[in-house]
């Protein structure tokens, strides 16, 4: 899928990337890397042959499903005040809205939306889902993503579970965009600016760089698109985010992020394995040092034993001469 839009130079880069990642996979196996790490690398490499993958994450009450529906301009996903997403859902282009089960914890949802012809969107269980395995599913799926949209609610920005989740996915080297949803519940413009500054500051602290931050009302945006109300759409502040996703993520940018995806995963796993190997080497150095100490102690003990043995031989020799002398007498 990716190869169709690559020029010759990018095609060479892709081939070299595959070769290096193959060598890394062999190295990880040789050093007994964790099975989950090896599987994560394998999945990220497979993503090179698939459409650009945009993952939407956040707490279940942040309005992720409503946000995705607004992005699609259609009520494709179920919305609710309780967790409605208990499985990973991949949205792909199709002639009609349908849902099929692809794996034990994975559903494929199709919809006739133009955006899905270029980008696949993933809806994940909330970071604060009641069932902890849902969060594990989300964390496992993030390494496969090319871009992560992290949705937080304007009334509860950056909760503890959201902080923990962002810290967990930061190390994968993904491009992360922060989205503040439900801004329609804020009464004054200064409240929005306060929330935006709070999210930006915390995002910079958690991610180590200044993130892109967008504040939107997904529900207003969806109603505006369904009714064709341009004023309401502008009021939802959704167009700038759409422009960032659809326009900024042009073909060239999508290729760049797609190629960087497995490289980020590979760099993380290489560093993680290097840390383990370095720890093993440190233990080996300590073991060698201990063996050297033991050998030195054995050498000293041998010298002491030989010296003691020579003294005992002298004593035995003296006693034997005394026996001989008494015998002669």
């Amino acid at each position: 899928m990716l190869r169709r839009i690559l020029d010759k130079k990018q095609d060479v880069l892709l081939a070299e990337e595959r070769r290096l990642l193959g060598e890394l996979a062999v190295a990880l196996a040789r050093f007994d890397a964790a099975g989950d790490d090896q599987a994560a690398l394998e999945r990220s490499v497979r993503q090179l042959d698939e459409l650009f993958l945009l993952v939407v994450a956040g707490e279940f009450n942040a309005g992720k499903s409503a946000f995705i529906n607004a992005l699609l301009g259609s009520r494709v996903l179920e919305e609710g005040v309780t967790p409605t997403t208990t499985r990973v859902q991949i949205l792909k282009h199709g002639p009609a809205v349908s849902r099929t089960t692809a794996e034990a914890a994975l559903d494929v949802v199709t919809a006739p939306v133009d955006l899905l012809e270029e980008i696949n969107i993933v809806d994940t269980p909330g970071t604060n889902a009641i069932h902890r395995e849902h969060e594990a599913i989300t964390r496992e799926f993030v390494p496969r993503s090319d871009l992560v949209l992290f949705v937080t609610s304007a009334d509860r920005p950056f909760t503890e579970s959201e902080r923990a989740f962002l810290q967990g996915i930061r190390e994968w080297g993904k491009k992360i965009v922060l989205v503040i949803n439900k801004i329609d519940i804020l009464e004054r413009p200064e409240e929005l600016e306060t929330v935006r500054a709070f999210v930006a500051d915390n995002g910079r602290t958690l991610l180590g760089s200044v993130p892109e931050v967008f504040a939107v009302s997904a529900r207003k945006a969806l109603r505006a698109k369904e009714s064709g109300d341009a004023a309401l759409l502008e009021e939802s502040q959704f167009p700038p985010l759409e422009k960032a996703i659809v326009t900024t993520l042009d073909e060239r940018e999508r290729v760049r992020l797609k190629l960087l995806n497995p490289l980020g995963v590979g760099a993380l796993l290489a560093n993680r394995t290097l840390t383990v190997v370095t720890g093993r080497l440190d233990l080996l150095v300590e073991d060698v040092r201990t063996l050297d100490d033991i050998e030195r102690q054995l050498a000293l003990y041998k010298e002491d034993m030989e010296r003691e043995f020579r003294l005992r031989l002298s004593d035995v020799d003296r006693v034997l001469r005394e026996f001989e002398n008494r015998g002669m007498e």
Side-chain angles (χ1 to χ4, degrees):
M1 190 69 69
L2 177 65
R3 190 174 297 275
R4 297 182 194 169
I5 58 176
L6 296 182
D7 57 31
K8 290 184 178 180
K9 184 177 180 180
Q10 292 170 336
D11 205 36
V12 171
L13 287 175
L14 176 62
E16 179 66 7
E17 181 173 337
R18 289 186 186 278
R19 184 186 67 79
L20 293 174
L21 291 172
E23 292 180 359
L24 176 59
V26 172
L28 291 178
R30 285 182 56 196
F31 288 107
D32 297 324
D36 290 344
D37 287 349
Q38 296 187 52
L41 179 62
E42 181 182 351
R43 287 193 298 267
S44 70
V45 173
R46 285 204 306 267
Q47 287 296 118
L48 286 171
D49 297 319
E50 300 179 6
L51 283 180
F52 187 87
L53 196 64
L54 187 155
V55 169
V56 180
E59 287 195 338
F60 73 78
N61 58 350
K64 300 193 309 299
S65 297
F67 170 77
I68 293 175
N69 286 339
L71 194 61
L72 299 176
S74 176
R75 298 182 186 273
V76 176
L77 298 180
E78 180 184 357
E79 301 177 27
V81 294
T82 58
T84 56
T85 303
T86 59
R87 298 159 58 84
V88 172
Q89 303 178 100
I90 301 182
L91 286 87
K92 299 184 176 183
H93 186 270
V97 176
S98 66
R99 178 186 297 273
T100 57
T101 299
E103 299 175 13
L106 177 64
D107 288 344
V108 175
V109 179
T110 62
V113 178
D114 292 343
L115 176 63
L116 296 178
E117 292 182 349
E118 299 289 337
I119 297 174
N120 286 341
I121 301 176
V122 178
D123 187 20
T124 59
T127 60
N128 58 339
I130 297 174
H131 302 291
R132 302 304 294 176
E133 61 267 24
H134 296 166
E135 184 177 348
I137 292 169
T138 300
R139 291 181 184 274
E140 180 181 348
F141 208 85
V142 166
R144 300 171 59 181
S145 66
D146 299 304
L147 172 66
V148 176
L149 289 182
F150 193 83
V151 182
T152 187
S153 179
D155 59 341
R156 295 181 59 203
F158 270 143
T159 63
E160 190 57 37
S161 73
E162 291 176 327
R163 292 171 184 271
F165 181 84
L166 281 175
Q167 288 176 335
I169 66 175
R170 170 187 173 180
E171 60 183 4
W172 291 105
K174 302 296 180 181
K175 179 177 175 60
I176 301 174
V177 175
L178 303 180
V179 179
I180 305 169
N181 192 19
K182 302 183 181 180
I183 62 171
D184 48 298
I185 66 176
L186 301 176
E187 297 180 356
R188 300 187 304 275
E190 53 267 27
E191 291 180 337
L192 175 56
E193 291 308 313
T194 299
V195 172
R196 190 195 298 270
F198 177 79
V199 170
D201 290 343
N202 280 271
R204 181 171 60 252
T205 301
L206 291 171
L207 302 176
S209 59
V210 180
E212 291 183 87
V213 180
F214 295 90
V216 302
S217 171
R219 289 187 175 180
K220 279 188 177 181
L222 181 57
R223 289 202 307 270
K225 289 185 177 183
E226 289 176 331
S227 62
D229 190 335
L232 183 60
L233 183 61
E234 194 68 27
E235 184 181 333
S236 72
Q237 300 189 32
F238 210 78
L241 175 59
E242 283 189 306
K243 182 178 180 181
I245 295 174
V246 180
T247 305
T248 305
L249 289 181
D250 57 10
E251 186 175 285
R252 181 181 180 85
E253 179 67 6
R254 290 202 302 273
V255 169
R256 188 182 74 84
L257 291 175
K258 174 65 74 174
L259 293 177
L260 285 176
N261 176 0
L263 293 180
V265 174
L268 170 65
L269 299 182
N271 289 331
R272 184 179 294 174
T273 304
L274 180 61
T275 300
V276 174
V277 172
T278 301
R280 293 176 183 173
L281 287 175
D282 291 341
L283 288 175
L284 287 175
V285 169
E286 187 62 30
D287 289 344
V288 170
R289 188 179 296 115
T290 301
L291 287 174
D292 289 341
D293 290 340
I294 292 174
E295 289 179 353
R296 284 194 297 271
Q297 292 175 15
L298 286 174
L300 292 173
Y301 184 71
K302 180 180 179 182
E303 291 178 5
D304 291 342
M305 290 292 292
E306 289 177 347
R307 184 168 54 254
E308 185 71 18
F309 187 67
R310 286 193 295 271
L311 292 173
R312 293 293 175 264
L313 282 179
S314 298
D315 292 341
V316 171
D317 189 55
R318 187 182 67 255
V319 171
L320 288 177
R321 280 198 295 272
E322 290 176 356
F323 281 159
E324 184 180 8
N325 291 334
R326 284 200 299 271
M328 294 298 293
E329 290 174 359

